[in-house]
Each structure stands twice: as structure tokens, then as C-alpha cells.
Amino acid sequence: MASPPAMGRPLSTAEGFMCGGIAACIAVTVSNPAEVAKTRLQLQGELAKSGVEKVYKNAFDAMGKTYKNEGIRGMQRGLGPAYAYQILLNGSRLGFYEPFRRNINKFIGRRPEEQLGSTAIIAGATSGAVGASLGNPLFLIKARMQAYSPALPVGAQHHYKSSFHALSTIFRAEGLRGLVRGIDAAILRTSMGSSVQLPSYNLTKNFLVSRDILPANSAWTFLASSAVSGVCVCIVMQPADTALTRVYNQPTVVGPNGQLVGTLYKNPIDCLWKTAKAEGFRGWYKGSTAHFMRIAPHTIITLTANDLIINLYKRIRDNDSS
């Protein structure tokens, strides 16, 4: 994690990956119901002009109807692959961020520990792209499982019995190409989010600590910094997040080359263009309330828990080694 406490030796990349993965799994348990609602709202009225009857009125209506018709199981659809994805994504994003940032600083002739906005953004985007690439197959099946509703379906419906069934079904039908479908959209989404998540978190924390507003190792410092970061991430990442959901969930047909291709979008940029053309730019921000309800607590819990876990881990590790 960026700006770890100064006691003992710094965390290794593997230790940072482990702490980040645990923190993200705690967060996703809380945020997954809002993620289900967001996914369904993003698919509702896809490429349709105004006047289409809405299945879900808003984020609260989506969660309420999902619980009423599908119970807790419906609200937690895709939780299994979400755990695995978060370990890969946030383990990479939180574990690789600091090594990337320090090495970029050294490459441009600056001190590794120096906090620079430009290198922080580059490190955040790069570490996010690594995590998104590793976790793409899991995000793909998570999005499809969350979109599926036996009661109130919106968008294309993919019914999988389990994560393993989803992965095997896609692989049998499309091969490895199917499992990396939408990876360009995933990298775009996560790079945009990661480029502001950790830099905004660290800059806010440094501001609070350097001006003696809050102490460095206070949970309130972590909480306040995480809240600011969550707002920044939601604003920047929402259009790419909508494109990712739609690219992942679109139906496929056999193309002229014999390979399965999406029927609606060629790539995320094509998706954003077609969405704006059919639904206006507001279409990019469908489900933004649900997205904020997911990203705010998810970011707060992930980053706060990550710092708390790092503090605890370093105390145990350094005491054992002393």
C-alpha cells in the first residue's frame, strides 16, 4: 500500500499483494448488492431511445426488487468470482503501486520516497491495468452472473450454475479468446479508476497529516482519505464502467472468420459512442447512484482495512523477527 507506516522494513510486493487482497474481500462482501443493482441499471434500456418502460426505477428500487424476487442469493450474485477478482485486482493494485511509484521516481531521477502527483497517477494506472488483465475472466463471468435475473431480466441473459460452469462454458464455446473478451474495456476502466484512487487517497492523507489535522496512524485519517478517494473514483470511472458492463454482457454471433463476435459493440470506445448517440451522454452515467453506493463503501473499506491490516501485520512480523 502507498505510504505505509514507517515502522520496520517496508512491505515486499508479495506482502502488499496479500494485505490488499484480504482488504478487498472484506469490502466486496459489503458492496456486492450495490454492484448487482448497478450492473442491471447499466443494461436497462441499452441503445434504446427515451420512452422505454423501466424495469428498475433507481438503485434502491433495483435492490428492493432483487431482494423481493431473488432473496439474498440474488443480491449476492457473482460473489464467488468477485472475491477471486478482488484478490487479483486489488492485490495487484495495492501491492504493485508502491514498487511502481518508487521505480518511476528513480527512473526520472527523483527520490523513491518522494510523493509526486504525476508518478503517482502513472503508477496507479499501471498497477490497475496489471490487475484488470489478470482478473478479466473473473470480472467477465461476475458481470454476466449479476445481470442474470429469472424474475426481472434486463439485457442479454447468461445463466451459469457456478463460476466453474461459467468459465468452462465460455471456454468450450469461444476458447481463450472468449475469456479475454472485453479486456481492453477492463484495462480502460481500471486504469482510469486506479489513476485517481491511490493518488487521491495518499494526497488527502498527506494533507491531513502534514497539517496536523489528524494523526498518521489514525483510523479516522484512513476513513477520511478513503471517502475522498471514493468520490474521485466514481466520477472518473463511471463511463468506462458502463462500457465494460455492456461489452461483457452483449450477445455474440459467429463472424465471417468463424469466431464469435459481439453483436452490439466492437470495443469500449464504440460502445461509448453508440450509447451517447442513442441515449445521450446521460447513458454513460446510468446506474451512477448505485455505482457510488458500491464504490464509496468499497473504497473506504478496502483502503482503510488495507492500512489497518498492514499496521497489524507489520507489528506481528516485526515483533516475531526481533
Side-chain angles (χ1 to χ4, degrees), residues 32-68:
N32 197 63
E35 175 82 350
V36 173
K38 174 190 71 72
T39 297
R40 296 180 180 186
L41 287 165
Q42 287 174 331
L43 294 171
Q44 179 171 257
E46 187 173 12
L47 299 185
K49 300 293 185 181
S50 59
V52 177
E53 185 177 353
K54 294 182 178 179
V55 177
Y56 305 109
K57 298 177 183 177
N58 50 52
F60 298 102
D61 184 54
M63 286 191 283
K65 287 179 177 176
T66 299
Y67 178 74
K68 180 180 179 181

Side-chain angles (χ1 to χ4, degrees), residues 64-117:
K65 287 179 177 176
T66 299
Y67 178 74
K68 180 180 179 181
N69 291 286
E70 303 169 52
I72 294 294
R73 182 178 180 181
M75 297 190 72
Q76 291 288 13
R77 286 192 188 277
L79 186 60
Y83 280 142
Y85 173 74
Q86 288 299 329
I87 291 172
L88 290 172
L89 173 66
N90 284 296
S92 299
R93 185 159 56 183
L94 297 172
F96 295 144
Y97 171 79
E98 188 64 13
F100 284 172
R101 188 191 65 77
R102 294 173 71 88
N103 281 303
I104 294 170
N105 275 6
K106 287 193 290 184
F107 180 77
I108 63 173
R110 305 295 288 267
R111 290 180 293 109
E113 63 275 12
E114 190 174 355
Q115 293 289 339
L116 301 173

